[in-house]
Amino acid sequence: MSTETSGGSVGTGTRVWNTVLAYIALTKPRVIELLLVSTIPVMLQADRGHVNIALIAVTVIGGWLGAASANSLNMVADADIDQKMKRTQKRPLARHAVPVRNALIFGIVLAFASFAVLYFGTGNKWLPPVLVWITIGFYAGVYTLILKRHTWQNVIWGGAAGCTPALVGWSAVTGTLSWEPFVLFLVVFFWTPPHTWALAMRYREDYRAAGVPMFPVIASDERVTTHMLAYTWATVLTSFALIPVTSWIYLVVAVGAGTWFIYMVTKLWIETRRGVEVKPLKIFLTSNEYLALLCCGLAVDAVINMPTIASFF
């Protein structure tokens, strides 16, 4: 009796834990890392020399809830595609670990929770939660249902959804927007195509099987890498716009990390044109490391608050 009871308890506990993990997977926790990378530095820059840990924590939590909502709703909309791609067949809805109806309700609840946390947590500021809701609607609706399925430019325009954490972070501190968060917005906007296309080059057949017209599916590697190089240059040059309002710390990081990023993508471009077998996932990882370095450089620069470059002129 005791053995059976114990075994039943273990089985029930395992099922509950697996269900919890499935709901966590709906939020794409690894993708949400971008939220932390771009939100915190811009909040520190908005209030240079000061670190409001409570406000940062609330904003990150509220933003995380919003991103989790968008990702969950994205999985609801993409359930049919995910079943056709090897890379995504283990996602909760693709393997029927969570009912679609439950996932939809889960995503909606997260959206309302995000609004509440951001509104009340930032001192009744409307702009941060409104920006998050616009992002949720754009990512789950416009990008997932329209752009992703109908145009190779899907990640170019759809990538705008991943850029808004910079705007949310700045508005959480100031209640308004300025040109500085839009610079980081554009950095992430230009960064998204080479980052995503590198992954799409690796999983080209998956996207083809699912009928998703990703750029590497409909274009040659030479054309794809040429576009990747152009967007990489745009990313790095855009990051330089923040140099006047930062110190030599950000200057060194932006130039150093940017040069390395351009070098790596240029290397891929050259190897592709020569017909050499390439490993595009290296660029995917490099792009992550570049953005992390740039944002960490901005965060450190803002906290230390040394004289800005513009102050010397």
Side-chain angles (χ1 to χ4, degrees):
M1 288 288 292
S2 60
T3 302
E4 292 178 0
T5 303
S6 176
S9 299
V10 172
T12 301
T14 300
R15 286 194 297 272
V16 170
W17 179 242
N18 287 338
T19 300
V20 170
L21 291 178
Y23 276 95
I24 291 175
L26 279 176
T27 68
K28 299 183 185 178
R30 294 178 63 182
V31 176
I32 295 179
E33 292 174 2
L34 177 61
L35 168 74
L36 302 177
V37 169
S38 56
T39 301
I40 297 176
V42 80
M43 292 185 73
L44 295 171
Q45 177 65 15
D47 193 20
R48 285 181 67 84
H50 301 89
V51 181
N52 189 335
I53 296 178
L55 181 60
I56 291 175
V58 166
T59 304
V60 168
I61 292 171
W64 181 88
L65 289 168
S69 168
N71 290 333
S72 299
L73 296 175
N74 165 264
M75 280 203 192
V76 171
D78 268 354
D80 58 330
I81 291 177
D82 288 344
Q83 291 179 354
K84 300 175 183 178
M85 297 176 60
K86 293 180 180 179
R87 185 174 66 87
T88 57
Q89 284 177 347
K90 293 184 179 181
R91 286 180 174 175
L93 297 183
R95 57 187 173 86
H96 306 291
V98 176
V100 173
R101 177 176 175 276
N102 291 10
L104 178 61
I105 294 173
F106 180 64
I108 294 173
V109 169
L110 287 174
F112 279 97
S114 171
F115 193 100
V117 170
L118 285 172
Y119 177 71
F120 294 109
T122 60
N124 299 342
K125 294 186 179 76
W126 284 101
L127 193 53
V130 167
L131 286 170
V132 168
W133 268 31
I134 290 173
T135 303
I136 294 172
F138 181 79
Y139 182 66
V142 177
Y143 168 70
T144 304
L145 294 177
I146 302 175
L147 296 174
K148 183 176 182 178
R149 297 167 185 254
H150 296 97
T151 174
W152 68 268
Q153 297 185 31
N154 43 29
V155 300
I156 296 177
W157 305 110
C163 308
T164 54
L167 306 184
V168 173
W170 187 278
S171 63
V173 174
T174 66
T176 61
L177 291 174
S178 176
W179 67 270
E180 292 180 47
F182 278 104
V183 171
L184 197 55
F185 178 100
L186 288 175
V187 166
V188 178
F189 181 82
F190 291 131
W191 167 89
T192 301
H195 168 76
T196 308
W197 288 337
L199 187 66
M201 287 176 68
R202 171 64 177 81
Y203 294 102
R204 179 184 288 110
E205 296 308 317
D206 259 8
Y207 286 108
R208 181 175 285 119
V212 179
M214 295 293 285
F215 194 31
V217 173
I218 60 96
S220 65
D221 285 352
E222 290 83 357
R223 186 181 174 196
V224 172
T225 53
T226 298
H227 280 66
M228 287 173 65
L229 185 57
Y231 276 101
T232 300
W233 271 98
T235 301
V236 174
L237 292 177
T238 300
S239 73
F240 292 168
L242 287 175
I243 290 176
V245 294
T246 55
S247 74
W248 64 268
I249 297 175
Y250 177 79
L251 169 64
V252 170
V253 173
V255 173
T259 300
W260 172 60
F261 189 23
I262 290 174
Y263 166 77
M264 292 297 291
V265 179
T266 301
K267 184 172 179 289
L268 176 70
W269 176 71
I270 292 174
E271 291 175 345
T272 301
R273 294 177 69 84
R274 289 177 177 174
V276 177
E277 184 178 355
V278 297
K279 296 181 179 179
L281 279 185
K282 282 188 176 181
I283 300 302
F284 176 79
L285 297 174
T286 297
S287 65
N288 283 334
E289 292 162 359
Y290 162 76
L291 192 63
L293 284 172
L294 185 74
C295 289
C296 284
L298 179 60
V300 171
D301 188 282
V303 171
I304 295 178
N305 193 25
M306 297 179 67
T308 63
I309 301 298
S311 68
F312 292 102
F313 296 94

